[in-house]
Amino acid sequence: MNKSKRPFTKSKRSFRRRLPPIQSGDRIDYRNMSLISRFISEQGKILSRRVNRVTSKQQRLITIAIKQARILSLLPFLNNQKQFER
């Protein structure tokens, strides 16, 4: 058998590479609220690393920064205000 010739080849699709959510110049810090707020869900939960598309080291720093901001009352622990629509 000749493995070099494949009858069923996948078509090469062009895709847009996603930009990393944290740039090289961004500091992951509890004071950087514009950066931290991107990694929190609507309920106030910390989003997972898979959803955030960050490295494990960045996720650890984000988690620590979010927890520090919560303790210092910069972020709420929970955001479960129910909105009533009529």
Side-chain angles (χ1 to χ4, degrees):
M1 276 192 183
N2 191 356
K3 290 187 178 181
S4 62
K5 292 185 179 181
R6 294 181 184 167
F8 303 107
T9 57
K10 289 184 179 179
S11 62
K12 294 195 174 187
R13 292 180 288 158
S14 63
F15 62 93
R16 200 179 100 217
R17 188 173 173 142
R18 291 185 62 151
L19 295 172
I22 299 175
Q23 304 300 325
S24 60
D26 288 341
R27 294 223 356 109
I28 302 173
D29 199 8
Y30 68 92
R31 292 171 286 182
N32 194 351
M33 296 304 295
S34 60
L35 179 72
I36 289 177
S37 60
R38 284 189 263 165
F39 303 108
I40 297 178
S41 69
E42 299 238 339
Q43 291 85 27
K45 295 181 180 180
I46 300 172
L47 294 174
S48 69
R49 183 180 155 231
R50 213 178 37 200
V51 174
N52 290 338
R53 293 187 178 258
V54 294
T55 63
S56 57
K57 185 177 182 180
Q58 288 173 334
Q59 181 70 21
R60 279 196 302 273
L61 292 171
I62 289 166
T63 303
I64 291 168
I66 290 172
K67 289 179 180 180
Q68 285 176 338
R70 284 176 175 169
I71 290 169
L72 294 171
S73 301
L74 299 173
L75 283 175
F77 279 92
L78 293 174
N79 189 14
N80 55 3
Q81 296 174 345
K82 294 180 180 174
Q83 298 174 349
F84 296 104
E85 295 181 12
R86 290 183 180 187

